[in-house]
Amino acid sequence: QVQLVESGGGLVAPGGSLRLSCAVTGVPYSPNAMAWYRQAPGKQRELVATITRERRTNCGDSVKGRCTISRDDAKGTLMLQLNSLKPEDAAVYYCSLSLGNDLYRFSPDYWGQGTQVTVSS
């Protein structure tokens, strides 16, 4: 059974950085594309960043230039680093796994439970 478990959320000051991790288990092969999403209260879930099996990456417009997505398949881990945090970055962050491998048309098939990120001084 595929399981995704996020960690690393919490309170971050504006201008600070966050590093989130997602432990991926139950996948009997090297995972295809994976992604980070986020959802703020009252807003739709937003795709933050995507990474393919070949490590091609893409960050969404709202975080471009501040975002690094990476993966370590040997450890079964997906990571997200987000710098220069703004109040609007506050959200629940979710990791996701796709059965496909499309960088720009990510189709989520599995979700983690999410980790809360609060941006406040």
Side-chain angles (χ1 to χ4, degrees), residues 33-48:
M34 293 192 284
W36 286 96
Y37 284 78
R38 68 185 182 186
Q39 187 167 21
K43 295 190 176 181
Q44 289 190 330
R45 193 167 293 193
E46 173 191 14
L47 178 61
V48 177

Side-chain angles (χ1 to χ4, degrees), residues 32-34 50-52 56 98 100-107:
N32 289 333
M34 293 192 284
T50 310
I51 183 167
T52 66
R56 295 169 61 219
S98 176
N101 197 38
D102 199 306
L103 181 64
Y104 296 110
R105 291 178 294 180
F106 183 85
S107 177

Side-chain angles (χ1 to χ4, degrees), residues 74-87:
K75 295 182 179 179
T77 305
L78 174 70
M79 286 78 74
L80 176 72
Q81 175 144 349
L82 197 56
N83 300 321
S84 303
L85 285 173
K86 308 173 184 179

Side-chain angles (χ1 to χ4, degrees), residues 35-50 58-64 66-67 80 82 87-96 106 108 111:
W36 286 96
Y37 284 78
R38 68 185 182 186
Q39 187 167 21
K43 295 190 176 181
Q44 289 190 330
R45 193 167 293 193
E46 173 191 14
L47 178 61
V48 177
T50 310
N58 183 59
C59 290
D61 289 342
S62 62
V63 297
K64 198 150 288 187
R66 305 187 290 126
C67 157
L80 176 72
L82 197 56
E88 52 264 41
D89 292 318
V92 177
Y93 283 71
Y94 299 89
C95 66
S96 180
F106 183 85
W111 293 96

